[in-house]
Amino acid sequence: MSQHSDPRARGPVDRRRFLTSAALGGATIVGASALGGLDPDAAFAAPTPSLDPAVAETSFAEGRVAGRNGSVLEVAGSYGESHRIQLTNATSIWKVHPTTADAIEPGDGLYARGVAMPDGTIAADAVWVNIVNLACTIRGIGRDRLELAHGGHPVTGRVSPGVTAASYAGAALTSDLSRLRVGQAAQVLGAWRPKDDTVDVVRVSVGH
């Protein structure tokens, strides 16, 4: 996304853009693949019909994690609404990489896709925690970080071996970051860290 597409977005309009650009989820608990992909890009994909004919409509939620009651996440939405997100054995959870529910903390941003249950709970097939996809300009390059500018705001991107990869002009991802340059426009996919307002960089794309 070229616009601010960030669960921690600073205003309701930006949050809405984030939501409307994401895939939505269905009516009974179904296999995750019936509702769309599970990788980080799936969070920003255009909505697509469910592949499961039993699922008439998909559901989604976004907001901040307020608490957890067993396998149910209590989520405060951007517009004052609240959501209850049921995690199941089939729920795919992403937070920098595929992980488990134990990695979800109060205060995290969350985007969930799933199936609306009769009691209003959303049974999630996929949950992306703190995911961001930012159009940035590279302002500085360090061994373990990228200094970025996004929408007039400075952002520190954390670079981690084995996690951070680059794509140059649409080529395949590589761990070689040596071709990044100060002043380049970049698309950064990663996960925001609420505690220090930095971003774990998963992928940085330049020259596209």
Side-chain angles (χ1 to χ4, degrees), residues 92-189:
S92 169
I93 300 172
W94 183 96
K95 188 177 183 181
V96 182
H97 47 70
T99 186
T100 67
D102 290 339
I104 302 175
E105 302 178 34
D108 279 340
L110 175 149
Y111 173 73
R113 182 189 66 195
V115 176
M117 305 306 288
D119 66 356
T121 299
I122 296 176
D125 80 304
V127 172
W128 294 274
V129 181
N130 293 334
I131 190 168
V132 294
N133 190 11
L134 307 174
C136 298
T137 301
I138 299 175
R139 295 302 189 191
I141 301 174
R143 189 177 67 176
D144 60 356
R145 63 184 56 209
L146 296 174
E147 299 300 335
L148 307 165
H150 167 67
H153 301 281
V155 177
T156 296
R158 293 175 176 267
V159 173
S160 302
V163 174
T164 305
S167 174
Y168 301 98
L173 291 172
T174 173
S175 60
D176 178 11
L177 306 183
S178 65
R179 293 162 60 190
L180 298 178
R181 297 289 183 269
V182 172
Q184 280 181 315
Q187 194 75 23
V188 174
L189 187 148

